[in-house]
Amino acid sequence: MTQHAKSWTLKPGAMTLADLRAVWAAPAKLILAAEAYPVIEASAAAVQAIVAKGDAAYGINTGFGLLAKTRIPDEKLEQLQRNLILSHSVGTGELLSDAVVRLIMLMKIGSLARGFSGVRPLIVDTLIALYNAGIMPAIPAKGSVGASGDLAPLSHMTLAMLGVGEVRVNGELMPAPEALAQAGIAPVVLAAKEGLALINGTQVSNALTLHGLFMAERLLEAAMVTGALSLDAAKGSDSPFDARVHAVRGQPGQILAAQMYRQLVAHSAIRASHLEGDERVQDPYSLRCQPQVMGACLDLIGNVGRTLLIEANAVTDNPLIFQDGPDGQAEIVSGGNFHAEPVAFAADTLALAIAEIGALAERRIALLIDATLSGLPPFLVRDPGVNSGFMIAHVTAAALASENKSLAHPASVDSLPTSANQEDHVSMATFAGRRLDDMAHNTAVIVGIELLAAAQGIDFHRPLKTSPHLEHVHHQLRQKVPFFDADRFFAPDIEAAKQMVLRGELSSTCKNLFAPLYA
């Protein structure tokens, strides 16, 4: 099966955003810290003691949801758990990507391993074995309302452990029994409580939103680079980035963004060429107010990261097993940690940042193609009229920016009761997180088009050069996309620029400059 070059040890409850970012980016062999096993075993033993005692306990020897009052005989508890998984595997739509599935599995392993869920070590070890073998459960993207846990998608994850359905290995779909057999992994038979523990929880909503977060980080970096490049292409002023301006306002993201812009444009010969004799008093907002807008996005992204990290380390299934009950006995407590409202709010907030990053970039593209504002040839092409240049590339950017406005509508304000009104308020966090991928790709296209437009503007100023940082970015682009000297098939150029944005290439040589984003 899949071999991993790296390995790392998971300490339940102690994951960092850097850990999650690395798992999202590439597979790595996972090892569970040895100290996790005693608490897992104690929690599983507590469940068995409850079963032996015979008292009704939700999720252990009762039905689920509105059927919680239905007592299940001991001899049917294994069937109860298997039926739970089969009946709840009702997802639809495209399959989640391997990057998102890795995050789901990692967070579910970490949650179960904290020892409050009542599962046996076998369950955790089987999930780890699937993860390390590169066996990615086939999880449809749609079918969860983000409360009572991500039941449907997590059920599809659990199917793979049972040897049911399909999985993806090295990007190819194959039957789960075949994949498990090749990896030497035995399908599990679920004991009391284990199916419910596996499918209760916010791991899918959180993984989708983490995916959006990591995409947003790349978009933020790229758009700050293209924004700085547009500033020089339009012969704008760097005076609005003066540290004193931002210090008197005091917004931390704005202060940090202004610092980054100062560094990005430092030592530009284009800027030096118009320090004197420039008749313009102020630049349009899309140039002048970049620290204010991108700084606010930076703050939102940072706040989202903190919320999602807490959730990634959390125990979010139900009911939970606590070892500090009355008389020192284990106690099972039913609560609602599966309600993903914090994740829904985080995803909605992130949607605002992604939309605004694209909206501001679209305005800069509009500025650059307008000769009256930029001083550049109309539509950034020689012989305009015969050539349309960037005219319709801007239309694409405008279309995507407008689409993002609709997608940015908050999902968390919606709720549709389920389970015969037992689950009467839900978070819609799963969709809130899922739509971020579409938004991020839209914004990546917009920023990619700005990269092409700004680089075109820089070329019109030759032989003057922009700053060293931005010259490198310009050079990287020109290795893939030549100067737009006359109309040509434009879509491949836009796709190449978009991929540079998504891969983080625009900031690859100045990572130290952006390091404070991740402090």
Side-chain angles (χ1 to χ4, degrees):
M1 306 303 288
T2 305
Q3 298 296 313
H4 303 304
K6 298 179 180 179
S7 64
W8 66 286
T9 299
L10 169 62
K11 295 183 178 180
M15 285 187 288
T16 66
L17 276 177
D19 294 333
L20 295 164
R21 205 177 282 115
V23 165
W24 172 74
K29 183 178 179 182
L30 177 63
I31 301 167
L32 182 61
E35 59 266 29
Y37 284 98
V39 294
I40 299 172
E41 290 166 354
S43 184
V47 169
Q48 294 308 311
I50 291 169
V51 171
K53 189 176 180 182
D55 293 341
Y58 174 72
I60 294 178
N61 52 18
T62 72
F64 308 104
L66 200 64
L67 301 176
K69 295 179 181 179
T70 303
R71 180 72 160 79
I72 308 299
D74 290 356
E75 64 271 17
K76 292 188 176 181
L77 294 184
E78 288 183 355
Q79 181 185 347
L80 172 70
Q81 297 299 314
R82 182 178 177 85
N83 286 353
L84 175 71
I85 304 308
L86 297 176
S87 67
H88 284 48
S89 296
V90 294
T92 188
E94 295 183 2
L95 299 181
L96 297 179
S97 69
D98 285 357
V100 171
V101 174
R102 282 196 302 271
L103 286 172
I104 293 168
M105 296 175 75
L106 173 69
M107 290 187 291
K108 179 55 75 174
I109 290 165
S111 178
L112 297 178
R114 287 190 59 186
F116 297 99
S117 302
V119 304
R120 294 166 293 166
L122 170 67
I123 298 300
V124 177
D125 286 342
T126 301
L127 263 178
I128 293 172
L130 290 173
Y131 181 98
N132 286 340
I135 298 173
M136 300 288 104
I139 304 177
K142 299 181 181 181
S144 174
V145 295
S148 199
D150 289 310
L151 296 173
L154 287 172
S155 293
H156 283 275
M157 179 199 75
T158 306
L159 282 180
M161 301 173 65
L162 306 182
V164 178
E166 289 187 314
V167 296
R168 193 165 47 214
V169 180
N170 296 325
E172 299 294 328
L173 282 175
M174 63 189 301
E178 182 181 335
L180 267 63
Q182 288 182 8
I185 300 171
V188 299
V189 176
L190 298 172
K193 175 71 169 63
E194 290 177 341
L196 188 59
L198 282 160
I199 71 172
N200 240 209
T202 62
Q203 286 79 28
V204 175
S205 299
N206 210 45
L208 288 165
T209 309
L210 281 166
H211 171 71
L213 172 71
F214 300 147
M215 297 275 278
E217 291 172 345
R218 291 186 177 181
L219 294 172
L220 184 75
E221 290 184 4
M224 291 181 77
V225 170
T226 58
L229 201 62
S230 290
L231 182 81
D232 248 8
K235 286 192 172 181
S237 172
D238 59 355
S239 296
F241 304 154
D242 188 309
R244 295 169 296 179
V245 171
H246 307 284
V248 297
R249 191 180 199 184
Q251 293 289 351
Q254 178 180 326
I255 291 169
L256 182 56
Q259 174 188 320
M260 293 175 179
Y261 281 113
R262 290 195 299 274
Q263 292 174 285
L264 282 169
V265 300
H267 311 298
S268 165
I270 295 174
R271 173 59 180 141
S273 73
H274 62 97
L275 280 171
E276 297 181 3
D278 194 330
E279 296 179 354
R280 294 171 297 179
V281 177
Q282 290 185 328
D283 294 324
Y285 290 178
S286 60
L287 297 179
R288 192 192 343 157
C289 297
Q290 289 186 78
Q292 287 79 3
V293 177
M294 298 300 280
C297 292
L298 190 159
D299 283 335
L300 286 186
I301 290 170
N303 289 336
V304 166
R306 285 184 282 275
T307 296
L308 298 183
L309 180 59
I310 291 170
E311 197 75 3
N313 285 300
V315 180
T316 56
D317 59 294
N318 179 66
L320 299 176
I321 311 296
F322 295 97
Q323 303 292 345
D324 57 353
D327 303 321
Q329 300 299 309
E331 183 178 10
I332 185 164
V333 180
S334 185
N337 281 359
F338 50 68
H339 199 297
E341 196 81 344
V343 180
F345 284 165
D348 284 346
T349 301
L350 195 55
L352 297 178
I354 292 172
E356 280 297 89
I357 291 168
L360 194 65
E362 182 275 326
R363 287 292 79 206
R364 291 191 296 266
I365 299 167
L367 183 155
L368 291 173
I369 66 174
D370 186 342
T372 61
L373 291 173
S374 68
L376 295 165
F379 301 108
L380 298 172
V381 68
R382 297 189 181 104
D383 200 8
V386 173
N387 294 302
S388 294
F390 280 69
M391 180 189 297
I392 307 304
H394 170 250
V395 172
T396 295
L400 297 177
S402 183
E403 182 177 310
N404 274 354
K405 293 176 187 178
S406 294
L407 288 171
H409 179 82
S412 57
V413 298
D414 187 29
S415 178
L416 202 64
T418 60
S419 192
N421 280 313
Q422 172 74 5
E423 297 154 9
D424 58 351
H425 181 276
V426 298
S427 72
M428 299 298 177
T430 324
F431 167 67
R434 177 165 54 82
R435 74 25 162 116
L436 297 176
D437 183 71
D438 283 344
M439 295 186 68
H441 278 269
N442 286 346
T443 295
V445 173
I446 298 168
V447 175
I449 292 171
E450 183 187 13
L451 171 62
L452 295 169
Q456 187 83 352
I458 296 297
D459 283 328
F460 282 121
H461 294 314
R462 294 304 190 207
L464 293 175
K465 290 187 175 184
T466 183
S467 71
H469 278 313
L470 300 179
E471 279 293 333
H472 180 81
V473 171
H474 183 279
H475 177 74
Q476 284 180 296
L477 175 66
R478 287 289 174 253
Q479 299 303 301
K480 300 177 175 69
V481 179
F483 177 77
F484 197 96
D485 57 349
D487 283 353
R488 61 174 185 251
F489 181 26
F490 208 169
D493 296 352
I494 294 172
E495 181 62 24
K498 173 191 174 183
Q499 292 304 320
M500 289 181 69
V501 172
L502 291 176
R503 289 193 293 262
E505 293 180 17
L506 277 64
S507 55
S508 60
T509 60
C510 52
K511 283 297 182 186
N512 288 342
L513 190 157
F514 290 103
L517 294 177
Y518 310 107

